[in-house]
Amino acid sequence: MHPLTHPAQAPAAGADAVAEAEPAGRVASASETAAGPVSMPTAGAPSAEPALVTLDDIRRAAGVIRGVVVRTPLLRFGPPLPDDASGRTRAWLKPESLQPIGAFKLRGAYYNIASLPPERRAAGVVTHSSGNHAQGVARAARLLGVRAVIVMPSDAPAVKVERVRADGAEVVVVGPSSEERAERAAELAWRDGLTMVAPYDDAATIAGQGTIGLEIVEQLAEIDAEAGVGGRLSPFTVLVPVGGGGIASGVATAVKSLAPDATVIGVEPELAADGRASLHEGRIVTWPTEQVGRTIADGQRTGHIGVIPFAHFRRYLDGILVVSEDEIARAMVRASREARLVLEPSGATSLAAWLFHASELPAGGPVVCILSGGNVDPERYESLLARGIAAGG
Amino acid sequence: MHPLTHPAQAPAAGADAVAEAEPAGRVASASETAAGPVSMPTAGAPSAEPALVTLDDIRRAAGVIRGVVVRTPLLRFGPPLPDDASGRTRAWLKPESLQPIGAFKLRGAYYNIASLPPERRAAGVVTHSSGNHAQGVARAARLLGVRAVIVMPSDAPAVKVERVRADGAEVVVVGPSSEERAERAAELAWRDGLTMVAPYDDAATIAGQGTIGLEIVEQLAEIDAEAGVGGRLSPFTVLVPVGGGGIASGVATAVKSLAPDATVIGVEPELAADGRASLHEGRIVTWPTEQVGRTIADGQRTGHIGVIPFAHFRRYLDGILVVSEDEIARAMVRASREARLVLEPSGATSLAAWLFHASELPAGGPVVCILSGGNVDPERYESLLARGIAAGG
């Protein structure tokens, strides 16, 4: 067993059967059964295991988002020459920063809204977010001709508010706390009959993000085929950032379903390592906002992972690695210099894990780093690059 | 006739017949017939028209480089919603900065070396360059198991010398002038029987770079198909940077051969607009090093375009636009903020043309900007971003 493997990783008894018998989709998701926003547990394991997203759900999502999202390429990173015939003994980057909104969030938001029944689409959607999810929902709603209301904090950067408005979404500004945002969104959902599009604690959102995992497996197989190496994929490792757990859940489900020998490891900033704490304790642990708010990785300042993601983590995730703030800034510099990619701090955590924690990964086989996004103002980007260079580049 | 169209653009009598009758390849190229380095005219049209690269040459190159270079995606840039059913009335970016060496040069260098006869590959190759072509040749030679000698100037950035050495190439350092480099490379070619891999004045190099044009046409057709728009491609415009003219020649040949209604326009910094001057005068014009050396676009500091590129320009190119230094820096900022791409100045000139000179382009239809590379040190990148922000972002 790999050292990162945690006790909670063993599949819950019958989990497989549940997943097979009740393919998760919008109907089976927690956000659907709850009226209004997803109910968030403060701590403790949920009393009933939520149904898991299946490979079929993710394949369906891939069909729906085709032509809307970019099939981001796998880019080589690291030493120039392959160590083996397959050309895969090195790191590959999956730059979701190249999506139209600069982050993977469009995948889940688009699939989520596209799979709503017609009468709910007609009524519109609502969400609360200060970050990439807001842009994902705004863009998806615009492309699908659906009304979108986004509740944003009063201290959100003007550029983010402008981008959401540019996509035609209605912006409702409330105080800076996330509780205020969630309450106001729930209120609007109730008042106007809007459907909440949850950023991670939702099966449809997870299925959409899972399409990244599907693409990775397909692309590694294509690379093998081009190198003349046919047949079964040899073992590989995927590093995926963890905030609320949506992308990690979807990716782990897709990858493990298609390639059971693969390893999927989440990555968190050590200042916001509540997900790792949750895996260790076998229950969802919440870290205070004052704590997680200290990381530069603004996309990973979620104080706890979702109920549905936690169930996927227990079933499919091999562990969570943590990285330091300096490591994140240094990975941003390396991505800029060696991969010519602008990454936001959250988008660089998986690369940081590979660059500075390779000894904690399974030996052998290629590593794929999912770079989740690149939305960072040039001014802030400059100062983060300077920090990374000062820390060793 | 489009305002950018220049008198020299009319096909030379019989050019088509020549191209058809004698498909260009390594054998027909000027670099092949010259012993040692490509002979560079100081001015004046060549007495005999060189044979033109054909679509078949470019297709052959595409087969050879498959799996070695990235099929870079077409990324949307600009307003979020399509203006027409095809989704193409806007700009698309073709980020060659995502190639393994951070620039398109690997395409031409790899195809060039791969198509050498076995005995010449066994003897090795030589080139002289301080930039991306050096890295392209070094990487291609390493992948193909061929000895490579790169003559670099004594003032080349240490990081560029290191990268070439990391790919196993032998580096020969001479004085700062390009004449010294060319002479030394010719000397080494003669002494050791090495084959000169020319950066642009070579049919095989041009065929390799032309694969970008092939991909653009394929990708626009795929986008149409995904949008449910079948049949013939509607008119579009391609913007491609011009230094020595290799990439513009290859791209224009591929695009015009497959889509005669398309427009292909070169882009130069106004401080190094010798290519435009050449088109206007109907002969290759040389600008002094002290002049072209002033542009921040180091990949376009070539004082004159090549003989073989000039023949392709006359046949296939619709004109050349020029952009200012501030426009280049501003385009770098826009690429960072809105496309999350690190571009070197030369890599941003085509985007600058679209952002700041759209009124000089044909009306209607999508525009594809070829972003040629992203090799810029983070320190220099920071200062160029600051310049671009100061100039208006």
Side-chain angles (χ1 to χ4, degrees):
Chain A
M1 196 173 259
H2 186 266
L4 278 171
T5 306
H6 49 80
Q9 188 223 352
D16 209 4
V18 170
E20 293 305 315
E22 298 181 50
R26 291 207 52 84
V27 177
S29 82
S31 67
E32 285 304 289
T33 52
V38 168
S39 61
M40 297 288 190
T42 49
S47 51
E49 279 290 308
L52 299 184
V53 167
T54 66
L55 183 59
D56 278 350
D57 297 325
I58 297 170
R59 287 193 164 130
R60 196 176 308 121
V64 170
I65 68 175
R66 190 176 154 77
V68 173
V69 307
V70 176
R71 188 184 193 248
T72 50
L74 274 195
L75 305 175
R76 289 182 184 182
F77 187 86
L81 263 205
D83 301 334
D84 67 354
S86 72
R88 294 207 280 96
T89 313
R90 69 171 80 183
W92 294 90
L93 308 181
K94 179 78 172 162
E96 287 293 302
S97 51
L98 301 182
Q99 294 297 346
I101 62 154
F104 70 96
K105 292 281 187 179
L106 184 60
R107 296 179 184 259
Y110 190 90
Y111 178 58
N112 197 315
I113 300 174
S115 54
L116 286 175
E119 65 278 11
R120 295 182 68 177
R121 284 172 62 166
V125 298
V126 63
T127 199
H128 53 95
S129 162
S130 61
N132 292 329
H133 179 63
Q135 289 181 54
V137 170
R139 177 65 56 88
R142 179 162 184 176
L143 291 169
L144 291 162
V146 170
R147 177 187 175 204
V149 181
I150 317 281
V151 182
M152 301 186 81
S154 51
D155 58 354
V159 61
K160 291 200 172 178
V161 177
E162 277 161 33
R163 283 189 189 180
V164 166
R165 284 209 173 106
D167 269 323
E170 300 158 45
V171 174
V172 175
V173 177
V174 298
S177 88
S178 63
E179 288 73 19
E180 278 175 282
R181 285 203 294 285
E183 270 174 36
R184 188 58 181 276
E187 205 177 285
L188 290 166
W190 184 83
R191 194 192 74 187
D192 291 3
L194 305 173
T195 299
M196 177 69 66
V197 180
Y200 49 84
D201 213 352
D202 181 295
T205 300
I206 290 171
Q209 324 299 30
T211 57
I212 299 168
L214 214 56
E215 290 177 9
I216 288 171
V217 174
E218 287 169 3
Q219 289 169 317
L220 288 175
E222 286 164 14
I223 289 162
D224 272 3
E226 274 167 15
V229 182
R232 198 155 157 282
L233 266 186
S234 42
F236 59 92
T237 298
V238 177
L239 298 174
V240 54
V242 171
I247 182 175
S249 295
V251 166
T253 302
V255 169
K256 290 300 189 102
S257 301
L258 289 163
D261 291 347
T263 304
V264 182
I265 294 173
V267 183
E268 288 184 318
E270 63 188 17
L271 295 180
D274 57 281
R276 189 177 60 163
S278 299
L279 284 184
H280 284 159
E281 296 195 22
R283 63 185 183 90
I284 296 173
V285 172
T286 299
W287 282 22
T289 306
E290 308 78 61
Q291 167 60 32
V292 296
R294 290 164 57 211
T295 178
I296 55 174
D298 44 298
Q300 292 171 281
R301 288 179 187 151
T302 321
H304 57 81
I305 58 174
V307 173
I308 304 177
F310 187 61
H312 289 80
F313 280 19
R314 290 167 64 103
R315 174 83 172 83
Y316 293 115
L317 203 69
D318 292 297
I320 291 184
L321 267 177
V322 299
V323 294
S324 74
E325 300 293 294
D326 275 353
E327 287 168 351
I328 297 171
R330 291 173 69 188
M332 290 175 66
V333 173
R334 296 284 298 269
S336 169
R337 185 188 290 138
E338 295 168 45
R340 298 91 196 171
L341 294 170
V342 174
L343 298 182
E344 61 186 275
S346 302
T349 52
S350 65
L351 179 58
W354 184 71
L355 288 171
F356 306 112
H357 299 270
S359 63
E360 299 162 52
L361 300 176
V367 173
V368 179
C369 301
I370 298 177
L371 311 177
S372 54
N375 287 317
V376 53
D377 281 335
E379 293 82 355
R380 183 169 182 239
Y381 187 54
E382 276 181 56
S383 77
L384 287 165
L385 286 183
R387 173 175 180 169
I389 291 167
Chain B
M1 195 175 259
H2 187 266
L4 278 170
T5 307
H6 48 82
Q9 189 222 350
D16 210 3
V18 170
E20 294 304 315
E22 299 180 49
R26 290 206 53 82
V27 177
S29 81
S31 67
E32 286 304 288
T33 51
V38 169
S39 60
M40 297 289 190
T42 49
S47 51
E49 279 290 308
L52 300 182
V53 167
T54 66
L55 183 59
D56 278 349
D57 296 325
I58 298 170
R59 287 192 165 131
R60 195 176 310 120
V64 170
I65 67 175
R66 190 175 153 78
V68 173
V69 308
V70 175
R71 188 184 192 247
T72 50
L74 274 195
L75 304 175
R76 289 182 182 183
F77 187 85
L81 262 204
D83 301 333
D84 68 353
S86 72
R88 295 206 280 97
T89 311
R90 69 170 80 182
W92 295 90
L93 307 182
K94 179 78 172 163
E96 287 294 301
S97 51
L98 302 182
Q99 293 298 346
I101 60 155
F104 71 96
K105 293 281 188 180
L106 184 60
R107 296 179 185 259
Y110 190 89
Y111 178 58
N112 197 315
I113 300 174
S115 53
L116 286 176
E119 65 279 10
R120 296 182 66 177
R121 284 172 62 167
V125 298
V126 63
T127 199
H128 52 95
S129 161
S130 61
N132 292 329
H133 179 62
Q135 288 180 56
V137 170
R139 178 65 57 88
R142 178 161 183 177
L143 291 169
L144 291 162
V146 169
R147 177 188 174 202
V149 180
I150 317 282
V151 182
M152 301 186 81
S154 51
D155 59 354
V159 62
K160 292 200 171 179
V161 178
E162 277 161 31
R163 283 189 188 180
V164 166
R165 285 211 173 102
D167 269 323
E170 299 158 45
V171 174
V172 175
V173 177
V174 298
S177 88
S178 63
E179 288 73 20
E180 279 177 282
R181 286 203 294 285
E183 270 173 37
R184 187 59 181 275
E187 203 178 285
L188 290 166
W190 184 84
R191 192 192 74 188
D192 290 3
L194 305 173
T195 299
M196 178 70 66
V197 180
Y200 50 83
D201 214 351
D202 182 296
T205 300
I206 290 171
Q209 323 300 28
T211 57
I212 298 168
L214 214 57
E215 290 177 9
I216 288 171
V217 175
E218 287 168 2
Q219 289 170 316
L220 289 175
E222 286 165 13
I223 288 162
D224 272 3
E226 274 167 14
V229 183
R232 198 155 156 282
L233 265 186
S234 42
F236 59 92
T237 298
V238 176
L239 298 175
V240 54
V242 171
I247 181 174
S249 295
V251 166
T253 302
V255 169
K256 289 300 189 102
S257 302
L258 289 164
D261 292 347
T263 305
V264 181
I265 294 172
V267 183
E268 287 184 317
E270 63 188 18
L271 295 180
D274 57 280
R276 190 177 61 161
S278 299
L279 284 183
H280 284 159
E281 298 196 21
R283 62 183 184 92
I284 297 173
V285 172
T286 300
W287 282 21
T289 307
E290 309 77 60
Q291 168 60 33
V292 298
R294 290 163 58 210
T295 179
I296 55 174
D298 43 297
Q300 292 170 281
R301 288 180 187 151
T302 321
H304 57 82
I305 59 174
V307 173
I308 304 177
F310 187 62
H312 290 80
F313 281 20
R314 290 167 64 103
R315 175 83 172 82
Y316 294 116
L317 203 69
D318 292 297
I320 291 184
L321 268 177
V322 299
V323 295
S324 74
E325 299 293 295
D326 275 354
E327 287 167 351
I328 297 170
R330 290 172 70 188
M332 290 176 66
V333 173
R334 297 285 296 271
S336 169
R337 185 189 287 137
E338 296 169 44
R340 299 91 196 171
L341 293 170
V342 174
L343 298 183
E344 60 187 274
S346 302
T349 52
S350 65
L351 179 58
W354 184 70
L355 288 171
F356 306 112
H357 299 270
S359 63
E360 299 162 52
L361 300 176
V367 174
V368 179
C369 302
I370 299 178
L371 311 177
S372 55
N375 286 318
V376 53
D377 281 335
E379 292 82 355
R380 182 168 183 240
Y381 186 55
E382 277 182 54
S383 77
L384 287 165
L385 285 183
R387 173 176 180 168
I389 291 167

